[in-house]
């Protein structure tokens, strides 16, 4: 089921506990790092999946979804930070590990991957950011943009 409305996405976020983040980065300037840290700080159990990273801030990072699932069981959501050309395999891997939902970040739109996940019964979100959606529903996002607390035009006194 493709989740198209804010109410559907909010409901998914409210029932989500575990997130496997494919493409999570230990690089502090990457969006996947920001989202990883944000979700951890807001009560989600987040596990990085990246074959090129052994850890993120001391937390284990797994080379594949199956390796992560062997340790932590099936995730509620697989959050995808990969190029759109690479996500068909991620969708198939998410189905194989028993994920309930797959979330493709901004710009990650691959019709085949969306169709595969949808037909397998996963809840599907695409071209949206979990952090932005969570912040929007919990008062961290204004109508004019993000309030991440990282960048501000306000003067500190």
């Amino acid at each position: 089921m493709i989740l198209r409305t804010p109410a559907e996405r909010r409901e998914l976020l409210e029932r989500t506990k575990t997130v496997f983040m494919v493409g999570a980065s230990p690089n502090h300037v990457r969006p996947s790092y920001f989202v990883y840290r944000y979700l951890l700080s807001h009560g989600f159990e987040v596990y990085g999946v990246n074959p090129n990273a052994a850890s993120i801030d001391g937390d284990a990072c797994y080379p594949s979804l199956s390796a992560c699932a062997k340790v932590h069981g099936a995730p509620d959501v697989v959050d995808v930070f990969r190029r759109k050309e690479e996500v068909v395999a991620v969708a198939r891997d998410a189905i194989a590990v028993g994920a309930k939902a797959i979330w493709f970040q901004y710009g990650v739109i691959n019709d085949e991957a969306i169709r595969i996940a949808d037909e397998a019964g996963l809840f599907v979100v695409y071209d949206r950011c979990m952090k932005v959606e969570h912040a929007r529903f919990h008062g961290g996002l204004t109508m004019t943009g993000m309030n991440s607390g990282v960048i501000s035009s306000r003067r500190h006194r």
Side-chain angles (χ1 to χ4, degrees), residues 18-22 47 49 62-80 88-103 116-117 120 122:
T18 57
V19 178
F20 290 2
M21 186 175 291
V22 177
Y47 303 100
V49 176
Y62 299 87
S64 65
L65 282 172
S66 62
C68 193
K70 283 181 185 174
V71 176
H72 302 288
D76 294 319
V77 173
V78 171
D79 190 13
V80 183
V88 169
V90 175
R92 289 189 173 120
D93 289 348
I95 294 163
V97 300
K100 297 177 185 116
I102 190 164
W103 191 299
I116 289 168
L122 273 67

Side-chain angles (χ1 to χ4, degrees), residues 7 39 42 52 57 71 84 124 126 131 137 141 144 155:
L39 294 175
H42 285 80
N52 299 313
D57 290 347
V71 176
K84 64 182 180 183
V124 179
Y126 64 92
K131 176 191 178 295
F137 300 135
L141 186 68
T144 57
R155 292 182 182 199

